[in-house]
């Protein structure tokens, strides 16, 4: 803009000087002709009495906006074809204009009144023909360099207002997803070659115990000392199939169940046997779950027996399932007990009356993995094996003893799921997997009777899902074989996994602890009301 004003002012001064010297300005088309004519006259001989040649005055004048004299404007003097700025006579009414929202977008006339052929040529000479300064028009196309630069500036400006998604420090995305490696590996020679067994247990005193054949070994993870706890004296007692530590005020007590039905309770600190319950029907123990000083045992005949360390006999026993009980766990508040069997049936029992069933769920495959939510006691997660392969989440408020309810959420995995754990610090669910298979596209096609494994990211892995979105957060290959069992650490941040094929155990950092905020001291804490 400043340059155009200076150019016009220079033209005005030149015109005033020419008026003073009585020299008429010539247009750019006649200037070359005049130079040729003057050169021709200089070559010819001069005649004294010859009448001087009168120069033609150009009728083309320079537009002067600062002159007081009114100028005549002729439509014939406008060079329409030389207009360097492309215009659209008719615009699309459906397209929203892209001009600045703070400057009105006004339409340009077809024949601008302040443009002459001379000003167009001068603008071309000085490179101002394509300048868009103070031109109320649409921005350049995105294909041009200017358009690309404008798009880049818009993207950079939008990033200033974009808030990146933050990862919670307790989430598995901040720990397991970043490390993706185990912290500690331990050998377990002689562990049961059975994916339905529970040979691993982790106490609240940070002691890990493992059943190896007829013996139990444990290690204090704080001191890293390994010790031998007990040994079954007679082969008729069978092999140790299930282990479980007490959870409440007696975390040093550990119970064991054998393949022939014997149940014992040991003190891991004093290495002393406290109680033994003989097997009268020779039905093997498949699962154990503690509640205070009592614990429930699941057996191969589908019965659940309640035992108390203060009583030498069984407290009660009732028929719960038709087949082997693979899953057994008390809820966090101790009100409900969940049990699952080989047929995929899941039952929920009331602790006030163990013989009364309050809920029944169904899976298409055998169910071993069951888990109660610690921060929402009525939330239950179950998972089935082949041919089911689904993780289902239920609510005890919607359970019925007669009608099978619908799950709140279903997470398809198409793998064998053998264990589930809710995080006590975040709304996430961890699962351990075995072999995977392909599900047919058509619902009419049924899976074969035997499992045909296929490669999958979930095969033999640890996987963490978000709740309630059920989105998969991280999946890490844990072992070369089936991850048959897992257990959480006392603080709920780490997990131990076991693989009977490798005869090895691995410890993983899965979650983080929630930071405890200091409680603000209130005036009500200092004073009391009488």
């Amino acid at each position: 803009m400043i340059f155009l004003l200076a150019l016009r002012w220079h033209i005005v001064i030149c015109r005033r000087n020419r008026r003073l010297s009585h020299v008429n300005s010539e247009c750019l088309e006649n200037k070359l002709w005049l130079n040729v004519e003057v050169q021709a006259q200089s070559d010819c001989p001069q005649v004294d009495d010859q009448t001087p040649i009168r120069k033609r005055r150009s009728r083309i004048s320079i537009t002067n906006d600062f002159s007081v004299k009114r100028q005549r404007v002729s439509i014939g003097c406008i060079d329409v074809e030389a207009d360097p700025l492309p215009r659209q006579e008719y615009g699309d009414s459906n397209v929203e204009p892209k001009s600045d929202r703070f400057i009105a977008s006004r339409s340009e006339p077809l024949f601008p009144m302040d443009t002459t052929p001379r000003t167009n040529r001068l603008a071309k000479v000085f490179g101002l023909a394509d300048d868009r300064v103070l031109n109320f028009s649409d921005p350049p196309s995105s294909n041009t360099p200017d358009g690309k630069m404008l798009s880049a500036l818009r993207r950079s400006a939008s990033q200033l207002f974009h808030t990146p998604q933050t990862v919670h420090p307790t989430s598995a995305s901040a720990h397991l997803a970043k490390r993706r490696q185990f912290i500690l590996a331990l050998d377990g020679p002689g562990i049961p070659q059975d994916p339905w067994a529970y040979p691993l247990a982790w106490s609240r005193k940070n002691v890990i115990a493992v059943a190896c054949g007829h013996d139990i070994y444990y290690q204090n993870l704080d001191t890293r000392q390994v010790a031998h706890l007990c040994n079954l004296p007679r082969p008729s007692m069978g092999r140790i199939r299930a282990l479980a530590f007490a959870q409440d005020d007696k975390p040093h007590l550990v119970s064991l169940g054998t393949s022939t039905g014997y149940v014992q309770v040991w003190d891991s600190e004093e290495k002393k046997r406290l109680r033994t319950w003989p097997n009268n029907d020779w039905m093997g123990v498949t699962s154990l779950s503690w509640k205070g000083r009592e614990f429930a045992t699941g057996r191969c005949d589908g019965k659940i027996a309640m035992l108390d360390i203060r009583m030498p006999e069984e407290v009660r026993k009732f028929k719960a399932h038709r087949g082997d009980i693979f899953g057994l766990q008390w809820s966090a508040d101790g009100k409900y007990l969940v049990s699952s069997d080989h047929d995929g049936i899941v039952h929920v029992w009331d602790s006030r009356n163990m013989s009364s069933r309050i809920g029944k769920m169904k899976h298409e495959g055998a169910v071993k993995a069951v888990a109660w939510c610690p921060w929402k006691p009525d939330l239950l997660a179950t998972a089935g094996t082949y041919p089911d392969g689904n993780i289902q989440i239920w609510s005890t408020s919607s359970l019925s003893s007669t009608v099978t309810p619908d799950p709140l959420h279903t997470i398809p995995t198409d793998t064998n799921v053998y264990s589930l754990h809710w995080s006590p610090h975040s709304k996430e669910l961890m699962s351990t997997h075995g072999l995977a298979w392909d599900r047919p596209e058509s619902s009419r096609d049924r899976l074969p009777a035997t499992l045909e494994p296929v490669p999958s990211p979930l095969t033999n892995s640890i996987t963490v899902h978000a709740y309630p979105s059920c989105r998969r957060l991280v999946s890490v290959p844990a072992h070369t074989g089936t991850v048959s069992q897992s257990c959480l650490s006392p603080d709920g941040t780490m997990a131990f996994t076991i693989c009977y094929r490798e005869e090895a155990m691995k410890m993983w950092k899965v979650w983080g602890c929630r930071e405890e905020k200091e409680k603000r001291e209130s005036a009500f804490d200092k004073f009391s009301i009488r």
Side-chain angles (χ1 to χ4, degrees):
M1 182 65 183
I2 297 175
F3 183 81
L4 293 176
L5 294 177
L7 178 61
R8 291 185 175 182
W9 184 252
H10 177 70
I11 294 171
V12 171
I13 294 175
C14 293
R15 185 175 182 183
R16 183 177 299 175
N17 294 334
R18 290 181 182 179
R19 288 178 180 177
L20 295 175
S21 60
H22 301 283
V23 179
N24 297 324
S25 63
E26 298 291 335
C27 62
L28 294 179
E29 290 86 349
N30 298 330
K31 187 174 182 180
L32 181 59
W33 178 80
L34 290 175
N35 292 334
V36 174
E37 183 179 1
V38 172
Q39 183 65 29
Q41 291 178 4
S42 62
D43 296 340
C44 297
Q46 298 290 336
V47 181
D48 296 337
D49 57 351
Q50 187 177 2
T51 304
I53 301 174
R54 185 178 181 182
K55 298 180 180 179
R56 284 187 306 176
R57 180 177 297 179
S58 175
R59 295 183 179 179
I60 302 177
S61 61
I62 299 176
T63 303
N64 185 9
D65 293 341
F66 297 93
S67 177
V68 181
K69 183 179 178 181
R70 185 175 181 182
Q71 299 178 0
R72 293 178 298 174
V73 180
S74 177
I75 196 68
C77 297
I78 299 175
D79 190 4
V80 180
E81 297 180 357
D83 188 2
L85 300 178
R87 300 180 179 85
Q88 295 181 357
E89 184 177 359
Y90 301 100
D92 189 359
S93 59
N94 297 326
V95 178
E96 183 179 357
K98 301 179 181 180
S99 55
D100 199 325
R101 61 176 179 172
F102 298 106
I103 302 177
S105 178
R106 61 183 183 184
S107 59
E108 296 182 354
L110 181 60
F111 301 105
M113 297 294 101
D114 57 347
T115 304
T116 63
R118 181 167 183 170
T119 56
N120 288 335
R121 285 189 291 272
L122 289 175
K124 288 181 180 180
V125 170
F126 290 99
L128 300 176
D130 295 331
D131 194 14
R132 308 179 70 88
V133 178
L134 295 181
N135 191 359
F136 299 91
S137 60
D138 295 337
S141 175
S142 59
N143 297 328
T144 62
D146 294 339
K148 294 180 180 179
M149 179 61 69
L150 182 59
S151 300
L153 291 176
R154 287 177 177 174
R155 287 194 300 268
S156 61
S158 62
Q159 292 176 0
L160 296 176
F161 302 97
H162 174 67
T163 303
Q165 185 178 4
T166 58
V167 178
H168 200 275
T170 62
S171 175
S173 301
H175 298 276
L176 184 62
K178 291 184 178 180
R179 185 180 180 93
R180 304 184 71 88
Q181 293 290 337
F182 59 88
I183 300 176
L184 178 65
L186 301 175
D187 293 332
I191 62 176
Q193 299 295 308
D194 184 6
W196 310 104
Y198 292 88
L200 193 65
W202 201 342
S203 72
R204 291 186 178 271
K205 289 192 174 183
N206 206 19
V207 175
I208 189 76
V210 58
C212 300
H214 301 277
D215 301 271
I216 295 179
Y217 295 90
Y218 68 93
Q219 179 180 5
N220 191 328
L221 297 178
D222 295 331
T223 61
R224 298 300 174 93
Q225 294 181 357
V226 180
H228 179 264
L229 178 61
C230 65
N231 174 269
L232 297 180
R234 301 186 304 273
S236 60
M237 299 182 69
R239 298 171 62 91
I240 301 174
R241 191 176 181 183
L243 285 179
F245 274 101
Q247 301 296 323
D248 295 333
D249 56 345
K250 301 289 184 179
H252 57 280
L253 299 182
V254 57
S255 60
L256 61 92
T258 67
S259 57
T260 57
Y262 282 89
V263 180
Q264 295 181 357
V265 175
W266 286 75
D267 189 340
S268 60
E269 293 180 350
E270 299 181 1
K271 298 182 181 180
K272 179 182 178 181
R273 186 181 63 189
L274 301 180
R275 186 74 64 182
T276 300
W277 289 271
N279 182 19
N280 297 324
D281 49 8
W282 293 88
M283 286 296 172
V285 177
T286 56
S287 54
L288 300 169
S289 181
W290 280 82
K291 177 192 172 184
R293 295 191 178 186
E294 297 182 355
F295 62 95
T297 62
R299 300 181 181 270
C300 295
D301 57 355
K303 294 181 180 180
I304 296 178
M306 298 298 299
L307 304 175
D308 194 328
I309 59 175
R310 297 165 293 186
M311 301 180 65
E313 301 294 335
E314 297 175 349
V315 177
R316 67 180 66 90
K317 181 189 291 186
F318 61 95
K319 182 70 173 181
H321 296 268
R322 296 180 180 179
D324 298 357
I325 298 177
F326 289 153
L328 193 67
Q329 188 176 5
W330 285 98
S331 61
D333 55 3
K335 294 182 179 180
Y336 305 106
L337 176 68
V338 61
S339 60
S340 60
D341 62 5
H342 184 271
D343 298 329
I345 304 298
V346 180
H347 291 164
V348 178
W349 310 90
D350 192 349
S351 61
R352 295 169 296 182
N353 185 8
M354 294 300 299
S355 60
S356 63
R357 185 184 62 191
I358 65 172
K360 176 183 177 182
M361 292 84 79
K362 172 66 177 175
H363 283 266
E364 295 181 3
V367 177
K368 179 187 178 182
V370 292
W372 290 97
C373 183
W375 36 267
K376 193 175 181 182
D378 64 332
L379 210 59
L380 172 65
T382 61
T385 56
Y386 186 83
D388 185 80
N390 294 326
I391 300 174
Q392 295 182 351
I393 301 174
W394 315 81
S395 176
T396 55
S397 59
S398 61
L399 296 182
S400 175
S401 59
T402 57
V403 181
T404 303
D406 295 329
L408 299 178
H409 305 278
T410 301
I411 306 175
T413 63
D414 292 339
T415 59
N416 290 326
V417 184
Y418 288 101
S419 66
L420 292 172
H421 292 285
W422 289 93
S423 171
H425 307 289
S426 59
K427 293 184 178 181
E428 295 176 359
L429 177 65
M430 187 193 78
S431 58
T432 61
H433 302 262
L435 298 178
W437 63 86
D438 279 336
R439 188 170 295 276
E441 298 180 359
S442 177
S443 59
R444 297 180 181 178
D445 299 337
R446 302 186 63 181
L447 291 169
T450 58
L451 173 61
E452 298 178 0
V454 297
S456 172
L458 300 182
T459 301
N460 306 328
S461 69
I462 298 177
T463 304
V464 180
H465 313 269
Y467 182 83
S469 64
C470 299
R471 179 173 55 92
R472 187 187 307 169
L473 298 178
V474 58
S475 182
V476 178
H479 297 270
T480 58
T482 298
V483 186
S484 58
Q485 188 198 355
S486 64
C487 51
L488 289 184
S489 61
D491 59 356
T493 61
M494 299 185 184
F496 244 112
T497 59
I498 190 169
C499 176
Y500 65 89
R501 177 180 178 183
E502 295 178 351
E503 293 187 343
M505 300 166 289
K506 295 180 180 179
M507 185 171 66
W508 307 81
K509 178 70 173 180
V510 183
W511 293 295
C513 285
R514 187 181 297 273
E515 297 181 359
E516 296 183 359
K517 297 182 180 180
E518 296 183 359
K519 184 179 180 181
R520 297 178 59 183
E521 188 176 2
S522 175
F524 296 99
D525 299 333
K526 298 180 180 179
F527 307 98
S528 60
I529 300 176
R530 294 182 179 178

